[in-house]
Amino acid sequence: MKKLTAVAIALLVATQANAAEVYKNEKVSLDLNGRAYAGHFFGTKEKAGEPGEKSEKIGANQFIRFGAKGDAVVSGTTKAIGVYEAQFNIGNSEKTLNGDKTDTVYNTDGDEITVTTSDSNDGNLRTRLAYGGLKDETWGQATFGRQKGAVSLISDWTDKSLTDGYGNEALGVATDTYATGRAADVVKYSGVFGSDKEFMLDASYKFDGDTKEETGGNNNDSKSADAYGIAAVYNLPMNFSIGTGYNVGKFEKAGESTDAKLWVIGAKYDDKAAYAAVNYAQGTDFVGVGKDHTGIEAVAGYDFVNGFGLMAMYNNQTVEQSGKDDVDTVKYYTLGAQYKFNKNLRVAAEYRINDKDTDASYDYKNDMQLAVRYDF
């Protein structure tokens, strides 16, 4: 109880003081952080037809995010580290639990029995990050747990939407997809080298977490598949960086082990006010069995000293499949603006021009999002 009370007080103090660091001495430090986000997507509601029409995003987009990061000296310059981050999603109502559900079933003897199941949180509470390990100024950092895979070192360059929900959708990198984005059971090494720390290297491996063979594709089967990745960045003078990454996931195809491959290359410019980046990706069997894809993501923005900021993005993913026409499964442009009242509070608006190919069911319309965000 005393420990829980101490944690609660620390969280309260951090929130009230807008401070991340809640404890620090010569050997141990603890930082707490969080985000309150209230957004809403405006668009075209679903309409029937041949094809019908709708916006891909519409309605509430609200969540609370909280996390903790700690480190403790092991010996010399080596430290033990731990990171945790969770998100609680909020819908259109106060209801977060579906409650208990009672079903009448029959056992193996034919007797009627009642089974009660409980929906624990309806998918609202999600663990984003949970990992620990060692870091050292001389050799880098080695961690294990739920964390980002190596290629995120490059793909994050174009994940710069001013609001939550747009961007970083064309390359093939995604949460729980062959350990490209956030994924569980990942061991990772990160190092920075060179006299000016100009060279960066990330390498990751995800252990197979499923009890059956994965069938491939960007679906539930790929969440637990074993995968490995590597990425390298070279930071050039004048605020330029170039980098490349390669990722392979394993799945079964026709009874044989098959590789789902993704290659990413990118470049960025960042002088703290002006920002521009472009990433290009090629994938084989990565977004689906028997499907190749190419992806392009580009962003450009500027932060003014008075708190205003602008950002434009472009995402395009083209899928190629034998015997079928190429399809732009992702193709859109966004224009966004934000105003920062201070380092904690900001408001943002982002409009998306959706130009993806019409499928057999829908013609996809434009949408936009308005949001308020508070960080602590």
Side-chain angles (χ1 to χ4, degrees), residues 67-97:
K69 180 179 181 180
D71 63 61
V73 174
V74 175
S75 63
T77 59
T78 303
K79 293 183 178 180
I81 61 171
V83 174
Y84 177 79
E85 184 177 277
Q87 181 168 304
F88 192 85
N89 296 319
I90 303 167
N92 286 312
S93 73
E94 293 182 355
K95 183 178 179 180
T96 59
L97 302 180

Side-chain angles (χ1 to χ4, degrees), residues 126-204:
R126 300 184 179 186
T127 298
R128 291 167 53 87
L129 301 170
Y131 64 88
L134 296 171
K135 69 175 182 179
D136 190 278
E137 296 175 359
T138 56
W139 53 261
Q141 177 173 300
T143 52
F144 176 71
R146 181 169 180 80
Q147 57 187 318
K148 287 187 174 184
V151 295
S152 289
L153 183 65
I154 314 298
S155 64
D156 281 354
W157 289 354
T158 46
D159 188 11
K160 295 296 181 180
S161 174
L162 299 183
T163 62
D164 176 80
Y166 294 133
N168 218 195
E169 297 182 273
L171 302 179
V173 173
T175 301
D176 292 317
T177 303
Y178 297 123
T180 49
R182 297 185 302 275
D185 301 316
V186 174
V187 59
K188 180 179 175 181
Y189 169 76
S190 299
V192 181
F193 309 96
S195 57
D196 296 320
K197 305 296 184 182
E198 67 273 17
F199 183 71
M200 303 170 67
L201 176 69
D202 275 14
S204 60

Side-chain angles (χ1 to χ4, degrees), residues 281-361:
Q282 287 186 341
T284 301
D285 287 331
F286 209 85
V287 297
V289 178
K291 296 180 179 180
D292 295 339
H293 82 277
T294 58
I296 299 175
E297 296 179 1
V299 301
Y302 192 86
D303 286 329
F304 298 91
V305 293
N306 60 2
F308 280 100
L310 300 173
M311 181 66 71
M313 298 192 306
Y314 173 69
N315 275 224
N316 182 200
Q317 182 185 95
T318 302
V319 173
E320 303 171 10
Q321 193 169 7
S322 179
K324 297 183 179 181
D325 294 335
D326 295 353
V327 178
D328 287 330
T329 53
V330 176
K331 188 176 183 181
Y332 62 78
Y333 314 82
T334 68
L335 299 172
Q338 70 176 5
Y339 178 73
K340 296 179 181 179
F341 293 92
N342 53 33
K343 66 178 182 179
N344 305 103
L345 180 65
R346 70 185 68 182
V347 292
E350 206 153 23
Y351 185 80
R352 175 169 70 163
I353 302 169
N354 199 340
D355 200 27
K356 71 180 290 184
D357 285 341
T358 299
D359 58 28
S361 301

